[in-house]
């Protein structure tokens, strides 16, 4: 199947796309962790659970509407993996986005 990486995950993987075989999304993420190492795994998982800011689409459909990490995969599928990106905050997300949001609230309070 084709796996597409976006934003910070593209940097971690060193590529925007890879072709790999796996029977489920869970197996795919495990395999990608073996290929790309700890940095990839830490970007995608937190204590063994998929980070809530990671969005995974299988053929354009969000895992939330499929079978989650147990969604079966076929050779002709396209899996797209997106980390959450904060618009206008330098593409950071996470702590950077939270800091940006706090700054925006303070500015609004100050008038």
């Amino acid at each position: 199947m084709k796996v597409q990486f976006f934003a910070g995950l593209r940097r971690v993987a060193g590529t925007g796309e890879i072709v790999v075989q796996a029977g489920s999304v869970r197996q795919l993420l495990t395999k990608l962790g073996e290929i790309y190492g700890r940095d990839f795994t830490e970007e995608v998982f937190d204590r063994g659970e998929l980070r809530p800011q990671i969005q995974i689409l299988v053929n354009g459909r969000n895992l939330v509407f499929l079978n989650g990490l147990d969604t079966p995969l076929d050779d002709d599928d396209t899996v797209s993996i997106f980390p959450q990106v904060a618009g206008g905050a330098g593409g950071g997300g996470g702590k950077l986005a939270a800091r940006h949001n706090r700054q925006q609230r303070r500015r609004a309070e100050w008038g």
Side-chain angles (χ1 to χ4, degrees):
M1 80 212 48
K2 179 169 59 172
V3 180
Q4 301 173 320
F5 303 105
F6 295 88
L9 288 175
R10 181 176 288 197
R11 177 188 46 77
V12 171
T15 185
E17 189 173 291
I18 185 175
V19 175
V20 66
Q21 303 301 314
S24 70
V25 173
R26 186 181 311 276
Q27 291 173 355
L28 173 65
L29 294 175
T30 299
K31 186 174 275 192
L32 294 174
E34 292 168 0
I35 293 169
Y36 297 115
R38 194 171 106 194
D39 287 345
F40 178 86
T41 301
E42 289 177 354
E43 286 285 327
V44 175
F45 290 103
D46 181 25
R47 298 182 192 119
E49 296 294 324
L50 186 65
R51 289 184 178 273
Q53 63 266 33
I54 298 294
Q55 299 295 314
I56 299 177
L57 307 181
V58 177
N59 300 323
R61 296 187 65 207
N62 194 308
L63 284 189
V64 174
F65 305 108
L66 300 170
N67 292 324
L69 293 177
D70 295 320
T71 299
L73 297 173
D74 293 320
D75 290 345
D76 60 344
D77 287 338
T78 298
V79 178
S80 305
I81 308 174
F82 297 86
Q84 184 174 353
V85 178
K95 291 180 182 177
L96 179 61
R99 187 177 74 210
H100 175 75
N101 290 338
R102 283 192 306 273
Q103 290 171 342
Q104 293 294 11
R105 283 193 305 268
R106 284 186 201 128
R107 286 185 186 126
E109 290 170 3
W110 293 339

